[in-house]
Amino acid sequence: MTANANLIPPGFPTFREALKFWLTLGLISFGGPAGQVAIMHRELVERRRWFSERHFLDSLNFCMLLPGPEAQQLATYLGWRLHGAKGGLAAGILFVAPSALILYALSWLYMAGGHMPWLAAIFRGLMAAVMAVVLEAVLRIGGRSLKSPTLWLMAVFSFIAIYVLNASFVLIILAAAAIGWIGRGMAPSQFPTGGSKRNATDESQAVSLLDSPRMSWRRTARVLGVGLTAWWGPVFLLTISLGWHSTPVQQALFFSRAALVTFGGAYAVLPYVAQQAVENHHWLSHQQMMSGLALAETTPGPLIMVLQFVGFVGGWQHPDGFSPAWGATIGAAITTWVTFAPCFLFIFLGGPLVQSIGRLPRAQAALTTITAAVVGVIMNLGLHFTEHALWPDNQQFDWPVALIAMGAFVALKRFQVGVIPVIVSCGTIGWIAWMAGV
């Protein structure tokens, strides 16, 4: 980037130009948060120069400290910095809208065609892919976050807490945050912040942005009022219309809680969702949860969209007087709403704090410790998924699924094959196995 020191700053992008980019991003944002952030960095920092390197990294660090999908929140923040509230709304909505529509169609196909043997065979192969993807996620996240003996112990203790003691995911996250915050002051080397190395980019090369709004009591009250009304308004209307104990209202309350503890990415909250939605609310089965994760992996946008699948299936199987399709539509809509509405509130409320994020090492240490604890939580999720995939309905061992899963893991880990090709291949192999009578 230093070679570009004499570049003339580009003109300020129009809202139409930004809108075109956010829509394109929503359509091509495959590859999980790392790939999505990489696309934004390449396009917005290096190519278009709408943001400086320093501002981009400060924004990313801020979003990583928030609950929710960091890539979607980063897009929302960057859109907000360019064109205010309308820019943030456009960027955040377009980041998730394509994946929401695609996943809705795939969810309907999954539920409406579940009785078809050939489709069941495809999803049998997809379950094998999910086993491999979850194991690869454990190794990848663990390799990135377990940088000290204390963090390794956090991963082990969190696994024991949730697998053996059946402890609440929320309590594990809160305990990890507290340990990281306190531990940073007592033993900094055991709770590293892992700060990003900044490139010495001349900020004069980037677009000259307007000053960020300053924090004030009036602004905070206004943002909170609008944000909380938008978040809880639909929930209130559903409660009046359908009753407190209806499936959509219970889904809205549950996924609103989940939105507040989604630190560390989608894989962090999946164990919590599986524990509550599968085992307590009985909205769907473990096999259906695995299928939803596979479908979410094949769509653009944030992986947390898998929660929409959970809401869809829960509404389909518990329609509360509606037809299954209408019940599923309401469930998917309210789940998606309460999952992402808080993200906009967090960004609009805390956006002015981005410039000071580098002075919060304890907060970053708390996030690092949460991520370490999440490794153990994901291990628990992987064991549950493996048990239900290899011994479906407590029947005999499904050795074809085991073989497909091992092949998928080797492809992911050894040959660095992308997630989408692996999932498509496993689904195809599942169909071929059914055709061969295996």
Side-chain angles (χ1 to χ4, degrees), residues 41 99 110 112 336 365 434:
H41 182 272
S99 61
Y110 174 80
T336 304
W434 170 74

Side-chain angles (χ1 to χ4, degrees), residues 1-12 44-46 48-59 77 81 198-212 354-356:
M1 295 293 292
T2 55
N4 298 327
N6 296 321
L7 289 177
I8 299 174
F12 197 93
L44 299 179
V45 176
E46 297 178 359
R48 303 170 190 261
R49 290 181 288 134
W50 290 355
F51 296 92
S52 68
E53 181 90 6
R54 179 187 180 93
H55 193 171
F56 185 89
L57 292 177
D58 281 341
S59 307
Y77 172 82
R81 284 297 283 120
R198 287 183 172 136
N199 192 311
T201 303
D202 186 351
E203 297 196 17
S204 64
Q205 300 171 17
V207 165
S208 180
L209 299 174
L210 300 176
D211 290 337
S212 174
V354 165
Q355 301 304 318
S356 61

Side-chain angles (χ1 to χ4, degrees), residues 103-150:
L103 187 59
Y104 177 86
L106 293 175
S107 301
W108 185 89
L109 177 64
Y110 174 80
M111 294 304 295
H115 63 283
M116 301 177 186
W118 63 270
L119 191 59
I122 291 176
F123 279 97
R124 182 187 180 202
L126 293 182
M127 289 183 185
V130 169
M131 290 168 55
V133 168
V134 173
L135 177 57
E136 192 274 337
V138 171
L139 297 177
R140 172 169 42 85
I141 297 173
R144 187 180 68 226
S145 61
L146 304 182
K147 299 297 186 181
S148 72
T150 300

Side-chain angles (χ1 to χ4, degrees), residues 373-437:
V374 162
V375 174
V377 173
I378 299 175
M379 288 176 59
N380 169 72
L381 174 73
L383 284 179
H384 278 292
F385 277 0
T386 300
E387 175 186 352
H388 289 278
L390 297 183
W391 289 273
D393 300 322
N394 295 319
Q395 297 178 2
Q396 62 183 4
F397 184 78
D398 195 336
W399 62 267
V401 170
L403 291 176
I404 297 173
M406 287 189 289
F409 178 75
V410 171
L412 286 168
K413 194 66 179 175
R414 174 67 178 84
F415 297 102
Q416 302 296 307
V417 180
V419 171
I420 293 177
V422 168
I423 288 177
V424 172
S425 299
C426 288
T428 303
I429 293 172
W431 177 78
I432 293 173
W434 170 74
M435 291 289 291

